[in-house]
Amino acid sequence: MKKHLRLLAAQLFAATLVLTALPGPAHAATPADDARLAAEWQAAWDTHRFHENTPPAPDSGRSRAQDSISIVIDAPIARVFPAYLDFSNHIGKHSFLKRVVTHRDRFVGAERHIDLTAVEEIPYEGTTVTVDTHAQQRVNYQGHYYETDSWTFPGVVTHQRIVFTRLSGARTEVTEYLTFEADTSMIDFALANGVASHRATQTALKQAIENHDL
């Protein structure tokens, strides 16, 4: 039982490492695997309706927690915004992210909508736990922000709004508004690890952009 709970915690930890950018080209994978992920994405969308940003009912056994984090990057918004949005730039900076599979990519009015699955591999007790995070991202290029909703087993739902603000001196502030929803017994864990992951990714991207590696 304890080992099962530890494994669940590892999966939940992976679930809190939520998407923070627009995906670029996916890594190589078999068509069958990508088709499986597409089917799982659709099932999660239909069953869990993770795009509906409504608080859980009081008697549902689930809770919601929110936080926001900001960072100032010493680079103009014209460079920061596209660099942040290119998900290929996050590989190697997001601890366990291995690849992303884009299932659908289209414009709805002025917004770009992307249905995708992020594949993470978590080292755990001598083995590797593979965790799939199914998400939809909506990018508003004119307003310099994007929103992401996602679902990950064992039922972690996230909602993000990432806002880019032009500052004086050719600097850019990136503010992430983060909402986590999970079983009440795990919500504190989801919040703490999710926020920590986002902070680490922010710091790594800031360094890469300021060093002109991106």
Side-chain angles (χ1 to χ4, degrees):
M1 181 64 174
K2 289 183 179 179
K3 185 173 182 179
H4 173 72
L5 290 176
R6 290 198 302 270
L7 177 58
L8 191 62
Q11 292 172 317
L12 181 58
F13 177 74
T16 63
L17 306 183
V18 225
L19 298 175
T20 58
L22 175 68
H27 286 191
T30 65
D33 186 51
D34 287 359
R36 174 186 61 81
L37 290 174
E40 291 179 359
W41 184 97
Q42 190 64 57
W45 179 270
D46 294 340
T47 303
H48 303 287
R49 305 183 67 83
F50 56 84
H51 56 291
E52 295 182 353
N53 193 352
T54 55
D59 59 350
S60 66
R62 294 175 62 79
S63 296
R64 167 175 284 196
Q66 297 175 312
D67 204 347
S68 64
I69 57 175
S70 296
I71 198 165
V72 174
I73 300 177
D74 190 13
I77 196 170
R79 189 154 64 85
V80 173
F81 189 55
Y84 225 93
L85 291 177
D86 184 352
F87 198 65
S88 63
N89 293 334
H90 289 240
I91 296 174
K93 300 173 182 63
H94 188 296
S95 303
F96 306 118
L97 181 65
K98 296 303 179 183
R99 69 187 188 98
V100 60
V101 179
T102 300
H103 309 302
R104 191 180 180 199
D105 186 343
R106 73 281 188 194
F107 274 86
V108 179
E111 284 192 340
R112 187 181 182 187
H113 289 205
I114 309 100
D115 303 336
L116 59 108
T117 299
V119 180
E120 296 159 333
E121 295 180 358
I122 317 301
Y124 177 73
E125 293 191 352
T127 186
T128 300
V129 178
T130 300
V131 178
D132 302 328
T133 296
H134 305 297
Q136 182 183 83
Q137 190 170 52
R138 299 173 298 280
V139 183
N140 188 303
Y141 291 97
Q142 185 175 5
H144 290 113
Y145 70 88
Y146 65 82
E147 298 175 325
T148 305
D149 303 312
S150 68
W151 179 90
T152 308
F153 179 85
V156 177
V157 174
T158 68
H159 305 288
Q160 306 170 38
R161 182 178 174 89
I162 317 299
V163 179
F164 299 76
T165 303
R166 183 181 288 105
L167 301 179
S168 61
R171 298 175 302 152
T172 305
E173 182 178 49
V174 182
T175 302
E176 304 190 15
Y177 300 94
L178 309 172
T179 300
F180 302 91
E181 181 185 321
D183 287 351
T184 299
S185 62
M186 292 185 171
I187 191 62
D188 291 341
F189 183 89
L191 175 67
N193 284 279
V195 171
S197 173
H198 279 256
R199 286 191 188 279
T201 302
Q202 276 191 343
T203 300
L205 287 171
K206 170 183 169 71
Q207 181 178 7
I209 292 170
E210 291 182 347
N211 290 343
H212 292 272
D213 295 329
L214 296 179

